[in-house]
């Protein structure tokens, strides 16, 4: 699209007005490019030539300023077309100069950026970290200073009152030197049970402070013979043996106060430090620490009929309805063309803690369930599936024939009202089940 003569004249006037600014712009980048690395000299020469051409073009355009009248510009349209073409060339020249100046800037940046750690300034195993135009040394133990050339020293402190120190006080000793404070006869280090203390010189300081030596007020009867007497500043305290407490360790403590059986059993104190845990049915061990569902043998009532027929439901049934899904029943629940959407549910009518399930297949035919999941909950529309130790749905291994009883324990007790078997695999086309659930309490 051709720029109108009037608009082109306005643009020319803009260039005239900004001529001084343009000169400053050119001078700045010329001086910056001349200070760059030697490898950029060719780029600098090209930029200088382009800037020279750019200035010549500007002067040429300014020399062709048209004569003005009181009414309108009498510019020849052909002349303006020529000026327009020169403006396009000037624009291309500016674009090229900008790109080259950016290249010069980049060369200048990398020419002045030096890795200060190249000459390995950090001595004695120190680690160098480049920090722009400088570096930082992380010194190894025993050394310090900007380049890790200085050896760490410590000043030996004064001896404690009523005690001595193994090195002369005020002496400068090197890194890793050890000194021993020792209290005089009948004095002990405060808060300790002996009369000496060892300190080591590390990074300009000792690992232990100068101790306080206190008179030994302890005697064999200080803690009733059932603890260790420790001197503190101005007093003594007793650290009691296991099974005893009190300021002088004269009170026999009850180990059951520490609840060693937890909520898994009842603690009975036998005197001294001895106790006995009477465990709940499903736990065993000295502190009832082991959960064992095999200890629980109370049925919820599937086999003996305490669970009523109407409380046993299923996704569907074939020849034998769901209420026959009772352990050792003469029939059992059966479905034809079983799939993973089939289920068998029991409503225990109240919240019950269940620890295991036992299953059989059909009584008279080779129809049985090979594997299944178990869902549970307090409402039939809000069930969750029992998980394994990895948080995945636990798949229980069912039966390999139709008559053998297979018991599966839950990873931990489950309290719920509804329990639902979710079929996962079966023998042939038919699925068959007879069930019983187990609790620890009747």
């Amino acid at each position: 699209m051709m720029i109108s003569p009037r608009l082109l004249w306005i643009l020319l006037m803009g260039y005239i007005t900004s001529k001084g600014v343009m000169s400053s712009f050119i001078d700045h980048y010329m001086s910056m490019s001349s200070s760059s690395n030697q490898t950029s000299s060719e780029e600098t020469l090209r930029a200088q030539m382009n800037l020279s051409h750019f200035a010549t073009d500007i002067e040429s355009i300014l020399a062709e300023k048209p004569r003005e009248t009181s009414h309108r510009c009498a510019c020849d349209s052909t002349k303006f077309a020529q000026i327009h073409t020169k403006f396009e060339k000037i624009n291309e020249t500016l674009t090229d100069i900008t790109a080259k100046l950016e290249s010069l800037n980049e060369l200048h940046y990398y020419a002045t950026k030096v890795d200060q750690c190249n000459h390995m300034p950090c001595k004695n195993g120190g680690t160098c970290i480049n920090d722009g135009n400088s570096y930082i040394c992380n010194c190894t133990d025993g050394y310090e200073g900007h380049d890790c050339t200085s050896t760490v020293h410590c000043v030996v402190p004064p001896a404690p009152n009523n005690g001595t120190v193994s090195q002369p006080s005020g002496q400068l000793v090197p890194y890793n030197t050890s000194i021993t404070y020792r209290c005089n006869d009948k004095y002990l280090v405060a808060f300790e049970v002996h009369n000496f203390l060892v300190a080591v010189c590390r990074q300009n300081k000792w690992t232990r402070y100068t101790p306080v030596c206190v008179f030994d007020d302890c005697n064999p009867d200080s803690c009733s013979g059932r603890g260790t007497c420790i001197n503190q500043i101005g007093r003594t305290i007793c650290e009691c043996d296991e099974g005893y407490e009190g300021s002088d360790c004269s009170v026999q403590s009850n180990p059951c106060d520490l609840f060693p059986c937890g909520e898994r059993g009842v603690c009975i104190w036998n005197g001294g430090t001895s106790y006995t845990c009477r465990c709940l049915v499903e736990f065993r061990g000295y502190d009832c620490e082991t959960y064992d569902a095999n200890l629980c043998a109370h049925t919820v009532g599937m086999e003996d009929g305490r669970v009523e027929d109407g409380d046993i439901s299923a996704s569907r049934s074939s020849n034998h309805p769901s209420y026959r899904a009772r352990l050792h029943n003469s029939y059992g629940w059966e479905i034809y063309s079983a799939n993973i959407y089939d289920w068998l549910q029991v409503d225990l009518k109240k919240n019950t803690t269940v620890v295991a399930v036992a299953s059989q297949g059909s009584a008279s035919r080779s129809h049985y369930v090979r594997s299944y999941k178990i869902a549970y909950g307090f409402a039939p529309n809000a069930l969750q599936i029992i998980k394994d130790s990895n948080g995945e749905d636990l798949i229980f291994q069912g039966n390999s024939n139709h008559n053998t009883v297979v018991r599966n324990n839950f990873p931990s007790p489950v309290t719920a009202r509804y329990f639902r078997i979710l079929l996962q695999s079966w023998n042939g086309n038919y699925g068959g089940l007879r069930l019983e659930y187990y609790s620890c309490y009747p």
Side-chain angles (χ1 to χ4, degrees):
M1 181 179 69
M2 181 67 69
I3 300 177
S4 69
R6 182 172 182 79
L7 177 59
L8 190 55
W9 181 248
I10 292 172
L11 292 173
L12 277 170
M13 293 302 294
Y15 271 100
I16 294 169
T17 304
S18 61
K19 185 176 181 183
V21 177
M22 185 64 69
S23 297
S24 299
F25 168 82
I26 293 170
D27 291 342
H28 168 71
Y29 277 100
M30 290 290 289
S31 63
M32 184 187 72
S33 62
S34 64
S35 63
S36 300
N37 190 277
Q38 289 296 327
T39 58
S40 63
S41 60
E42 184 179 346
E43 295 295 333
T44 303
L45 181 59
R46 289 178 182 175
Q48 290 172 346
M49 294 175 63
N50 285 328
L51 288 172
S52 177
H53 293 159
F54 166 71
T56 301
D57 287 339
I58 288 292
E59 294 297 334
S60 175
I61 292 171
L62 293 175
E64 295 173 353
K65 175 181 176 183
R67 294 187 299 274
E68 296 184 359
T69 66
S70 58
H71 299 287
R72 58 193 292 265
C73 177
C75 298
D76 180 74
S77 60
T78 302
K79 180 67 69 176
F80 272 104
Q82 294 174 353
I83 294 173
H84 174 74
T85 300
K86 289 188 177 183
F87 259 105
E88 288 182 341
K89 290 182 178 180
I90 290 170
N91 183 56
E92 292 176 358
T93 301
L94 284 173
T95 301
D96 183 61
I97 290 172
T98 301
K100 286 179 169 53
L101 287 174
E102 289 177 352
S103 177
L104 289 173
N105 278 337
E106 185 175 358
L107 288 171
H108 178 76
Y109 171 78
Y110 285 107
T112 57
K113 185 176 178 62
V114 178
D115 186 353
Q116 302 295 327
C117 291
N118 277 342
H119 63 290
M120 303 178 66
C122 303
K123 308 305 179 184
N124 298 306
T127 303
C128 182
I129 301 173
N130 192 52
D131 187 26
N133 294 325
S134 184
Y135 61 91
I136 299 173
C137 288
N138 286 336
C139 302
T140 56
D141 289 345
Y143 295 94
E144 60 184 355
H146 184 66
D147 294 336
C148 305
T149 55
S150 299
T151 304
V152 170
H153 289 83
C154 297
V155 178
V156 177
N161 293 331
N162 301 306
T164 60
V165 62
S166 59
Q167 298 273 10
S169 296
Q171 179 177 324
L172 200 64
V173 295
Y175 174 82
N176 217 31
T177 299
S178 63
I179 58 174
T180 302
Y181 299 100
R182 191 171 298 278
C183 296
N184 297 337
D185 188 34
K186 295 185 179 180
Y187 285 84
L188 297 175
V189 175
F191 307 102
E192 303 285 350
V193 294
H194 40 70
N195 69 339
F196 67 93
L197 185 147
V198 177
V200 181
C201 174
R202 292 301 187 219
Q203 294 300 108
N204 293 318
K205 62 181 181 180
W206 297 96
T207 56
R208 301 291 295 271
Y209 291 108
T210 303
V212 175
C213 294
V214 295
F215 186 77
D216 185 7
D217 285 326
C218 292
N219 59 71
D221 297 325
S222 295
C223 300
S224 306
R226 302 186 182 94
T228 301
C229 179
I230 298 177
N231 284 277
Q232 292 189 335
I233 301 175
R235 66 169 187 162
T236 61
I237 62 170
C238 290
E239 288 188 353
C240 301
D241 297 338
E242 184 180 1
Y244 295 91
E245 57 188 8
S247 60
D248 60 354
C249 304
S250 60
V251 179
Q252 194 171 25
S253 58
N254 184 348
C256 290
D257 291 340
L258 301 177
F259 301 101
C261 313
E263 296 182 353
R264 307 173 300 275
V266 178
C267 183
I268 300 173
W269 184 25
N270 301 326
T273 60
S274 175
Y275 65 91
T276 300
C277 285
R278 289 184 179 175
C279 302
L280 300 178
V281 175
E282 64 269 37
F283 294 96
R284 57 182 173 80
Y286 189 80
D287 291 333
C288 308
E289 68 277 8
T290 303
Y291 167 71
D292 188 353
N294 289 318
L295 300 173
C296 302
H298 294 282
T299 63
V300 300
M302 288 287 287
E303 182 177 1
D304 60 19
R306 283 178 290 138
V307 175
E308 299 180 359
D309 290 349
D311 295 328
I312 306 173
S313 58
S315 55
R316 60 193 179 92
S317 300
S318 295
N319 297 328
H320 303 296
S322 58
Y323 65 81
R324 289 180 172 174
R326 302 176 183 274
L327 200 67
H328 299 300
N329 184 271
S330 56
Y331 295 99
W333 170 62
E334 287 186 354
I335 51 170
Y336 180 68
S337 296
N339 61 70
I340 60 172
Y341 300 104
D342 287 317
W343 50 265
L344 179 71
Q345 178 175 282
V346 176
D347 179 4
L348 299 179
K349 290 299 185 183
K350 63 180 181 178
N351 294 340
T352 305
T353 300
V354 175
V355 298
V357 62
S359 64
Q360 293 174 292
S362 297
S364 57
R365 289 179 287 192
S366 188
H367 301 156
Y368 51 88
V369 175
R370 293 182 180 274
S371 63
Y372 54 88
K373 299 179 183 179
I374 298 179
Y376 64 94
F378 303 108
N381 60 347
L383 303 178
Q384 55 184 314
I385 297 175
I386 293 177
K387 306 292 185 181
D388 61 18
S389 58
N390 296 320
E392 303 292 335
D393 291 351
L394 178 59
I395 298 179
F396 293 89
Q397 296 305 309
N399 299 90
S400 57
N401 59 63
H402 73 284
N403 206 40
T404 302
V405 176
V406 175
R407 173 171 168 150
N408 280 303
N409 296 329
F410 296 173
S412 59
V414 174
T415 300
R417 172 176 170 174
Y418 295 91
F419 289 85
R420 180 181 293 182
I421 298 288
L422 307 173
L423 275 62
Q424 297 299 298
S425 62
W426 43 88
N427 184 48
N429 290 328
Y430 273 91
L433 268 179
R434 291 177 287 170
L435 295 176
E436 181 62 271
Y437 290 98
Y438 294 91
S439 177
C440 294
Y441 306 97

